[in-house]
Amino acid sequence: MGLTIALNRGRILKECLPLLAAAGIEPLEDIHSSRKLVFEATGGHRFIVMRGSDVPTYVEYGAADVGITGKDTILEYGQGARFYERLDLGLGRCKLMTAMPEGEELGDGPLRVGTKFVNVSRTYFESINRHVTLIPLAGAIEIAPIMGLADLIVDIVDTGNTLKANGLSARETIADISTRLIVNRAAQKTKFDLVQNLVSTLREVVAA
Ligand code: PRP
């Protein structure tokens, strides 16, 4: 019996499959052209493909032994380490930042913050002693200030093009983001050799 590996569908999946293949783990059929969500892989391993925000859940509860998802998702899932973060895969590097309309400055008054990252934002604004009202959004965060829904946003910034196209400028960096490998606490012990082997092989692949 190999490892059950939870993968974040979308961009992260696309980028991490070649790394896993270089580490000797490949799905037995083409993941991209299938509607299936569970895939047998070489070495007796198994991939399960899901939304990023579900990856930490599967790994915490042991429904997956390991998972690959973004640091942003891991931070938003919660601060208490309920799984081990073992490796930075170095993919998808970007920043979680605050942003607001170009030329505007933060006043002292109450602030409305539009974001997908409600937990991370709450912790961040508490840490700087700033009282804010958090406005949860599912996507297209960048339009919230233009539409008068929020004074500022907390979102992922990569090239900065989306901010620029919507008249916003990046302000403070909350966290540096990249794709991480996380491991279930029990699996770290009960499947020690398999987990260690995966971590060390992937580490070599990433370093190469
Ligand atoms: C992310 C993020 C920003 C954009 C930033 O969205 O939410 O909107 O990328 O990238 P940029 O700085 O290079 O413009 P993504 O495309 O991942 O889609 P999402 O809205 O589903 O998060």
Side-chain angles (χ1 to χ4, degrees):
M1 180 70 175
L3 294 169
T4 299
I5 304 169
L7 299 176
N8 189 149
R9 77 172 175 224
R11 202 182 320 172
I12 290 180
L13 175 68
K14 223 172 161 183
E15 290 180 351
C16 77
L17 282 178
L19 280 189
L20 287 161
I25 307 178
E26 285 183 89
L28 299 184
E29 61 183 292
D30 181 24
I31 290 189
H32 302 299
S33 64
S34 173
R35 294 292 298 166
K36 278 171 57 173
L37 300 169
V38 180
F39 297 87
E40 299 303 323
T42 50
H45 302 298
R46 195 163 52 149
F47 292 140
I48 44 178
V49 180
M50 61 191 64
R51 285 182 81 108
S53 55
D54 289 336
V55 170
T57 312
Y58 270 73
V59 174
E60 175 181 354
Y61 291 100
D65 299 311
V66 305
I68 293 177
T69 191
K71 180 69 175 176
D72 51 336
T73 304
I74 295 168
L75 288 172
E76 183 62 15
Y77 184 71
Q79 306 297 322
R82 289 169 288 189
F83 41 72
Y84 301 119
E85 190 182 310
R86 292 292 316 273
L87 191 63
D88 183 346
L89 297 175
L91 302 169
R93 287 197 189 282
C94 54
K95 288 179 186 296
L96 189 60
M97 302 189 76
T98 63
M100 62 186 299
E102 194 87 53
E104 276 185 25
E105 289 306 326
L106 284 185
D108 294 328
L111 285 178
R112 294 161 306 153
V113 179
T115 188
K116 260 197 292 202
F117 301 96
V118 175
N119 296 329
V120 177
S121 299
R122 184 182 301 113
T123 305
Y124 170 72
F125 286 105
E126 278 173 10
S127 79
I128 61 166
N129 286 318
R130 183 82 210 212
H131 179 72
V132 298
T133 300
L134 296 165
I135 302 177
L137 294 169
I141 318 295
E142 290 87 352
I143 59 172
I146 310 165
M147 301 313 293
L149 179 63
D151 302 301
L152 75 164
I153 62 168
V154 169
D155 201 11
I156 295 294
V157 180
D158 178 12
T159 60
N161 289 341
T162 312
L163 290 183
K164 205 168 166 200
N166 290 286
L168 303 175
S169 67
R171 303 298 165 99
E172 305 297 325
T173 298
I174 298 178
D176 290 312
I177 305 300
S178 57
T179 302
R180 310 292 165 96
L181 178 81
I182 58 176
V183 177
N184 172 262
R185 283 179 169 190
Q188 175 66 45
K189 297 189 182 74
T190 59
K191 298 189 174 181
F192 183 80
D193 290 344
L194 285 172
V195 169
Q196 288 307 107
N197 191 35
L198 176 68
V199 172
S200 56
T201 314
L202 277 177
R203 184 177 286 128
E204 282 166 23
V205 170
V206 169

